[in-house]
Amino acid sequence: MTSEANVALVVESVEALNAGDTERLLGVMAPDFVMHLAEFPEPLGRDAWREGFKLVRRAFPDLEAHIDDLVAANDKVALRLTLHGTHQGEFQGIPATGRTIRYVSHEFYRVEDGLFAEEWICSDTASLFRQLTE
């Protein structure tokens, strides 16, 4: 695939994330998809991604991502996102606060045969937790 096609895949996936469309997102992940989270020592797979997405959507049902920067080369796409939403459900042991949150995430994707093969996520979770607890 071209860099342009990979960019289109990422943009469409952000739209699916904003719509809370789990199945659409899973549909563009390779069966052996690997997710690397900055907070975790070991990579995770599709099942962990699905559970994490459900957890986040329950806690922040109106969560939206806005693409601030996007760069693509060959099979890789990098983006900087600003995410915002309302804390309406339990998140990591923190009961719903009703607070509006905003934080930044830096994400990198490797695309293979039109599907996401790997994802690296480095989100500003310190800022997120500070907004929920202060």
Side-chain angles (χ1 to χ4, degrees):
M1 289 185 69
T2 66
S3 291
E4 293 81 15
N6 293 340
V7 165
L9 179 65
V10 168
V11 169
E12 291 168 11
S13 296
V14 170
E15 291 169 2
L17 179 137
N18 289 343
D21 192 341
T22 309
E23 294 310 310
R24 187 168 150 203
L25 290 164
L26 287 168
V28 294
M29 289 181 190
D32 58 349
F33 169 81
V34 176
M35 175 177 59
H36 307 269
L37 294 173
E39 307 84 45
F40 287 79
E42 298 295 322
L44 305 166
R46 286 171 56 103
D47 291 340
W49 180 92
R50 177 189 290 122
E51 291 309 309
F53 187 73
K54 285 181 191 175
L55 180 143
V56 168
R57 290 306 288 195
R58 278 193 303 266
F60 307 97
D62 62 345
L63 187 71
E64 278 196 19
H66 172 77
I67 298 173
D68 299 311
D69 287 304
L70 189 148
V71 178
N74 303 317
D75 64 344
K76 302 265 184 3
V77 179
L79 61 156
R80 180 174 57 91
L81 301 168
T82 299
L83 295 102
H84 60 89
T86 310
H87 185 211
Q88 298 179 32
E90 185 271 330
F91 181 72
Q92 301 292 312
I94 302 169
T97 63
R99 294 179 181 161
T100 300
I101 55 93
R102 178 180 295 287
Y103 67 100
V104 173
S105 184
H106 297 89
E107 304 186 2
F108 302 85
Y109 297 89
R110 184 173 65 80
V111 180
E112 185 176 293
D113 298 326
L115 300 172
F116 292 119
E118 282 186 277
E119 169 182 57
W120 293 263
I121 299 177
C122 185
S123 294
D124 185 5
T125 53
S127 173
L128 171 62
F129 282 106
R130 190 170 41 256
Q131 293 172 65
L132 297 177
T133 59
E134 290 182 352

